[in-house]
Amino acid sequence: MIPPRITAWLVWFGDRINPILVKETRQALKSRQFTGTFMLLLAASLVVSFGGVALIGPEIAYRASGGNFFVAYFAVLAFAIFVVVPFGAYRSLAAEQEERTFELLSITTLSPGQIVIGKLLSAIIQMFIYFSAIAPFMAFTYLLKGIDVLAIAFELVWALMGSVAFSMAGLLLATFSTRRSWQVLLSVVMITGLGLATIGSVPLAWELTGEIGGIMRDPEFWLAMAALVTAYVITFALVYQLSVSQLTFESDNRSSKVRIVLAIQFLTGLAWTGWTWIIAEPGDREVLYIAAFMGCFFWAITGSFLLAEPAGISRRVARQIPGNSVVRAFTGLFFPGPGTGLAFVLVHLLCIASLVAFAEFVEIWIAPVVGPNWRIRGTRGQATAVTFAAVSYTFFYLGLGALFVKLIRRFRPVPPVAGAAITAILAAFGSLIPNFFIMAMRPAHYQIYEFWQITDPGTTIDQIFTKPNILSPLVLVPVAMAGLVLLLNLPGMAREVCFLNAAGRQRLAPAQPTEKRADDAADVLPPVASRATEVISNPT
Amino acid sequence: MVEVRDLHRYFGSLKAVNDVSFQIGRGQVFGFIGPNGAGKTTTMRILATIDVPTSGDAFIDGYSVVNDPDKVRRIIGFMPDHFATYPNVNCWEYVDFYARAYGLRGQARLSAVRRVMSFTELDGLAEKPIEGLSKGMKQRLCLSRAMIHDPKVLILDEPAAGLDPRARIELRELIKLLAADGKAILISSHILTELAEMCEVVGIIELGQIVATGPVDSIQATNRTVAVMEIRVLRDSELVERWLREQPDVDDVEASGRNITFHFPADEEAQSQLLERMGAARLPLVSFRSREENLEDVFMAVTKGKVQ
């Protein structure tokens, strides 16, 4: 007999559990797929146990065979947690879109975040059930020697994190399209990716099982783990936020939170790079190159989506613009729009260029004074010149993409994915066409760099590496190209900023019904300026 | 309670909804009529905050569907034209899930589930898997879901589609009860005779535009210029037929035994004068009436059958 107090607490707790989790758990417990996978997992584990023991024979008493058994169990578990659970999470959300149950869900009081979290939690519950099924077998491997508890725990924790990450990625993938044909294609992509991840995880587990004990004693290992966990958490947050924004109502703000996560991701990367730069060998500038290239790559990918955000801000979003001009100045770049998106990327790219230049300045001019044994490796100014060129190319192609998207939007709508594709195609053309002509015109051993290859970032940056000079045309021309596309994009960017300013200053009033509700009588907003209203309907 | 104002929704060059405006009062049942592809479902989806208008706005109890969809969602119940469900779920679990999704907790949730299941007479089928329900029962379940949070406004898209006559009558009674409870109801249907019985006001939409709106009688009066008159005579029907053909404004005279029908202006003054003349001519008249026009006649009169 359960005491009434505990019953009351259980009811209280049950009411506060995510409704999606409650529904999905109820469904899972009745589904054949869940029962089938669970039974299959148990059966496979039993087969591994009996088969392994029979194969090893009497030697099991003195041979350290725990590691082998562990990897075999891991392979069984990997199928369940790397394929079945993430694909189940993907299908669960994709089916909501296909069957149009998501529409009904979206008009309840559940937020898109609650829907995503609910789906993820139900996947995690399934993971734990599969883990619990295989836990006795894992304990069995420890008794067989050849693997220690720390190694088992380490691999299982990463397996769990991997499964959660795959499930989250599956949920994001499910939001990409509501069309059945696209869902079929995405299912194939998902299954292939998960299959490859599962196949790859088993040899990795094998390697780790043998090596992990020794590696764990190295302090750098834990530093690397900390960096990995940071990257995992922040990337997870980004994927989650992207899923939520995909499911958010069209007139709501789909962009600001994604931009906040991107900025945090950038700052985290910057912090780790800074730390690595400080602890690296004096004068070693590889960290700077890696940071610059990774930073440019990161903003090239994310920027290509941001520049194709829908033009115009809904009245609902406009009402969120801060009235205070100082707050508005700091938060303006986080509001949706292709112009603010491009400006957002530009600020971060400039940040990369400035920091690398500052780091190299410190290495060349300050460090030798502070530490007499300091010796710079490579040519002076190389990192700055390379970074300036990389940053300029990134912005040039993004800006060009933004102009093309704007042009195409005069005739037809362009979704962000198409905008990203347009930018990628432009970058590919700019990079490949000059090289194609070089290859067609000259034999391989005469193929030297020609100036008209300037649109190709790869070969141009390679040239800068060999002849680094910040004032060389190879650096100045890409900077000028970036400046030119900035100038061409400037009117659009300025218009968006002006609109944000106007909307923030005038606190746009929403449209009102003919008969106002009685409780709304006090909620009177200042009059709407005609200019701001006009910009809302056609901001570009 | 519901105000739709200058609503537009374009899909590329297709103007699915093109300047639609109407209002629905508390406790009023508004029938939304139109051929397939006329823009009914798109309008309803905008009101349900599933879609957004290209321009214009709609207000539910004063809240804009564009600017305050979260607030609108708390006060509307939407029943789409398709039944969306989940596998491995029974009736009670289905309704309970939506009760949780609408933020109902504890006793309030349990009593809300009981209330709607009792109202739709599904309480006996609580444990039955949804897959095993008949079409009529599924529609009832769908209505339960839409009502679970006791919304002020119900938007019902083709709720009677595919139902047998008994289920239709039962649904109609349920809707009347809901309206009596003060809820504003927007309902679309192809079965116009049924709509006429339960709707006080109708809106007829074609090619994304409202072509007529208001009480059924008022639309009839506005659109009716010619009435079909029916008379019955005691004898001499050929004589009466001949007499009628000679009268001004009388067209399409047809006799069938002692019954004669003809077209005549809908103006009641003119009809009264014609009756007076018939009396003066000492015609052996037994009855004289204008045939009642139903919603189907009105619909056919105001729409042109165009699709986009």
Side-chain angles (χ1 to χ4, degrees):
Chain A
M1 181 77 182
I2 304 169
R5 209 172 149 183
I6 294 178
T7 312
W9 186 85
L10 285 173
V11 169
W12 181 89
F13 181 71
D15 271 336
R16 274 146 190 87
I17 297 176
N18 187 309
I20 301 276
L21 177 63
V22 174
K23 179 198 70 115
E24 301 260 322
T25 309
R26 279 174 179 161
Q27 281 181 279
L29 291 175
K30 290 184 199 169
S31 83
R32 286 184 194 158
Q33 177 256 315
F34 174 74
T35 320
T37 311
F38 189 80
M39 297 311 288
L40 202 69
L41 193 73
L42 281 179
S45 301
L46 284 170
V47 167
V48 168
S49 306
F50 290 117
V53 170
L55 211 66
I56 295 170
E59 286 178 41
I60 202 162
Y62 49 86
R63 197 170 127 185
S65 51
N68 299 352
F69 271 95
F70 177 81
V71 174
Y73 292 131
F74 186 88
V76 174
L77 181 66
F79 172 73
I81 64 166
F82 290 160
V83 177
V84 177
V85 174
F87 190 71
Y90 162 77
R91 277 306 308 159
S92 162
L93 189 53
E96 296 260 18
Q97 311 241 40
E98 278 172 21
E99 304 296 327
R100 294 166 68 184
T101 46
F102 183 78
E103 286 183 352
L104 299 180
L105 215 52
S106 69
I107 58 169
T108 64
T109 51
L110 285 178
S111 67
Q114 280 177 297
I115 294 171
V116 173
I117 288 288
K119 297 275 177 195
L120 188 67
L121 283 176
S122 71
I124 291 173
I125 286 204
Q126 285 188 48
M127 275 173 225
F128 275 115
I129 292 173
Y130 294 142
F131 265 91
S132 68
I134 213 156
F137 298 98
M138 296 288 190
F140 170 70
T141 64
Y142 174 65
L143 297 174
L144 292 174
K145 308 276 188 283
I147 186 164
D148 61 19
V149 176
L150 208 58
I152 293 175
F154 178 81
E155 290 188 40
L156 289 184
V157 166
W158 272 108
L160 181 70
M161 286 169 73
S163 180
V164 173
F166 290 147
S167 301
M168 191 65 246
L171 289 173
L172 174 63
L173 215 59
T175 64
F176 282 165
S177 181
T178 52
R179 287 190 192 168
R180 199 175 283 264
S181 52
W182 275 102
Q183 291 288 3
V184 170
L185 183 72
L186 290 172
S187 295
V188 173
V189 170
M190 181 87 187
I191 281 283
T192 311
L194 293 174
L196 289 174
T198 307
I199 293 165
S201 72
V202 178
L204 190 70
W206 176 264
E207 283 291 317
L208 282 173
T209 304
E211 307 284 332
I212 197 75
I215 300 171
M216 277 179 173
R217 279 187 283 278
D218 186 350
E220 276 190 19
F221 167 80
W222 293 108
L223 202 63
M225 280 301 113
L228 261 178
V229 169
T230 316
Y232 176 92
V233 170
I234 198 74
T235 310
F236 184 87
L238 179 65
V239 176
Y240 164 76
Q241 202 51 60
L242 286 172
S243 314
V244 170
S245 91
Q246 288 277 98
L247 299 177
T248 298
F249 190 52
E250 217 174 301
S251 73
D252 208 341
N253 188 345
R254 289 175 160 184
S255 184
S256 293
K257 284 182 182 166
V258 172
R259 291 189 193 194
I260 290 169
V261 177
L262 285 175
I264 294 172
Q265 197 169 20
F266 176 72
L267 289 174
T268 316
L270 217 60
W272 275 108
T273 311
W275 170 253
T276 318
W277 180 65
I278 289 166
I279 63 164
E281 278 189 45
D284 188 350
R285 282 178 292 170
E286 267 183 25
V287 177
L288 298 183
Y289 295 130
I290 293 170
F293 288 132
M294 279 181 68
C296 287
F297 181 72
F298 175 76
W299 288 112
I301 300 290
T302 52
S304 63
F305 285 91
L306 293 179
L307 63 86
E309 278 187 353
I313 290 179
S314 69
R315 287 194 191 95
R316 191 173 187 211
V317 180
R319 280 194 293 155
Q320 297 167 6
I321 297 167
N324 184 303
S325 56
V326 180
V327 179
R328 204 164 54 238
F330 280 103
T331 56
L333 293 184
F334 290 90
F335 278 93
T340 57
L342 202 59
F344 183 73
V345 175
L346 178 64
V347 166
H348 288 94
L349 288 175
L350 289 175
C351 190
I352 293 172
S354 322
L355 285 172
V356 169
F358 173 73
E360 199 167 49
F361 172 78
V362 170
E363 285 190 344
I364 294 170
W365 301 105
I366 299 175
V369 180
V370 182
N373 295 329
W374 186 275
R375 189 174 63 82
I376 189 135
R377 298 172 187 195
T379 317
R380 290 179 177 199
Q382 192 181 42
T384 308
V386 165
T387 307
F388 275 25
V391 161
S392 301
Y393 277 118
T394 308
F395 188 76
F396 170 70
Y397 282 111
L398 287 175
L400 208 59
L403 291 172
F404 266 78
V405 168
K406 204 170 160 184
L407 186 73
I408 297 169
R409 276 193 177 150
R410 286 172 186 266
F411 309 103
R412 53 172 305 148
V414 181
V417 178
I422 289 167
T423 310
I425 290 167
L426 288 171
F429 267 111
S431 308
L432 296 178
I433 286 177
N435 292 319
F436 173 76
F437 280 113
I438 286 278
M439 281 191 286
M441 284 159 59
R442 294 195 175 147
H445 51 280
Y446 286 120
Q447 284 173 9
I448 54 162
Y449 182 81
E450 296 280 352
F451 191 70
W452 46 272
Q453 281 177 279
I454 197 79
T455 56
D456 175 20
T459 48
T460 310
I461 289 174
D462 191 44
Q463 280 295 305
I464 299 170
F465 258 117
T466 52
K467 297 170 196 164
N469 177 5
I470 193 107
L471 296 174
S472 128
L474 295 183
V475 180
L476 293 180
V477 172
V479 171
M481 284 156 57
L484 182 68
V485 292
L486 175 62
L487 275 177
L488 293 172
N489 277 291
L490 215 51
M493 291 160 81
R495 253 199 300 272
E496 278 185 36
V497 172
C498 287
F499 166 69
L500 287 176
N501 224 9
R505 271 205 309 268
Q506 288 152 14
R507 306 289 294 173
L508 289 172
Q512 292 292 327
T514 313
E515 287 176 33
K516 277 169 70 73
R517 289 187 330 278
D519 56 325
D520 256 12
D523 183 23
V524 181
L525 291 155
V528 187
S530 57
R531 170 69 189 137
T533 319
E534 190 185 307
V535 180
I536 277 180
S537 53
N538 187 13
T540 52
Chain B
M1 183 63 80
V2 178
E3 183 189 346
V4 177
R5 195 196 294 166
D6 311 328
L7 206 67
H8 293 75
R9 180 69 171 106
Y10 301 159
F11 297 102
S13 58
L14 178 77
K15 294 177 177 177
V17 177
N18 190 13
D19 199 14
V20 166
S21 301
F22 60 85
Q23 293 189 346
I24 309 173
R26 197 179 297 272
Q28 200 173 51
V29 184
F30 186 96
F32 208 26
I33 313 165
N36 287 332
K40 301 186 298 289
T41 298
T42 308
T43 307
M44 289 179 138
R45 285 168 63 82
I46 291 171
L47 285 172
T49 74
I50 292 171
D51 202 349
V52 279
T54 307
S55 68
D57 209 337
F59 301 91
I60 312 278
D61 199 22
Y63 295 115
S64 156
V65 295
V66 179
N67 296 311
D68 293 308
D70 301 336
K71 287 174 183 161
V72 169
R73 285 165 189 171
R74 290 173 192 277
I75 49 176
I76 56 143
F78 177 55
M79 188 170 163
D81 57 352
H82 60 278
F83 182 70
T85 182
Y86 300 102
N88 302 314
V89 169
N90 66 34
C91 296
W92 187 85
E93 287 170 343
Y94 183 75
V95 181
D96 176 71
F97 165 60
Y98 279 98
R100 287 171 187 269
Y102 276 105
L104 299 175
R105 286 177 177 169
Q107 207 52 46
R109 173 170 54 82
L110 293 175
S111 57
V113 174
R114 278 193 215 109
R115 173 178 54 81
V116 295
M117 295 204 59
S118 158
F119 180 78
T120 52
E121 294 171 12
L122 283 172
D123 27 14
L125 301 171
E127 298 296 320
K128 187 162 180 167
I130 296 175
E131 291 95 329
L133 293 180
S134 67
K135 172 89 183 172
M137 289 297 139
K138 280 182 179 170
Q139 290 296 78
R140 280 167 179 265
L141 187 63
C142 207
L143 187 61
S144 300
R145 183 198 52 70
M147 291 165 45
I148 188 69
H149 55 303
D150 196 19
K152 292 179 182 174
V153 176
L154 277 167
I155 300 163
L156 313 175
D157 193 3
E158 301 285 352
L163 296 188
D164 62 38
R166 170 173 284 276
R168 265 189 231 157
I169 292 163
E170 286 169 352
L171 185 73
R172 194 175 65 204
E173 294 310 311
L174 291 180
I175 289 166
K176 281 182 180 170
L177 284 173
L178 288 167
D181 197 29
K183 297 189 190 309
I185 301 173
L186 173 63
I187 180 169
S188 76
S189 178
H190 282 132
I191 304 155
L192 303 184
T193 45
E194 280 199 4
L195 272 187
E197 282 179 43
M198 62 177 132
C199 299
E200 295 153 41
V201 183
V202 293
I204 302 176
I205 184 170
E206 189 176 36
L207 297 174
Q209 288 183 312
I210 294 274
V211 286
T213 183
V216 179
D217 297 342
S218 144
I219 294 180
Q220 281 172 340
T222 311
N223 291 282
R224 196 165 66 161
T225 51
V226 175
V228 178
M229 306 301 297
E230 292 176 334
I231 59 170
R232 187 172 170 82
V233 291
L234 197 59
R235 57 184 177 271
D236 302 332
S237 55
E238 292 88 359
L239 175 76
V240 177
E241 192 184 340
R242 254 195 326 273
W243 185 88
L244 280 169
R245 286 185 199 282
E246 288 163 6
Q247 300 304 308
D249 299 328
V250 172
D251 289 313
D252 301 330
V253 182
E254 280 177 30
S256 169
R258 290 193 293 141
N259 296 320
I260 302 170
T261 61
F262 57 94
H263 286 173
F264 191 73
D267 178 17
E268 287 188 339
E269 187 67 38
Q271 289 173 10
S272 170
Q273 286 170 7
L274 178 69
L275 188 59
E276 265 180 40
R277 290 205 300 276
M278 289 176 107
R282 305 183 68 83
L283 296 177
L285 216 58
V286 175
S287 71
F288 175 97
R289 68 187 183 99
S290 160
R291 186 194 282 168
E292 281 288 310
E293 272 198 337
N294 58 27
L295 198 53
E296 282 177 350
D297 298 320
V298 175
F299 179 74
M300 293 307 286
V302 298
T303 59
K304 296 177 178 66
K306 287 181 187 168
V307 286
Q308 53 182 347

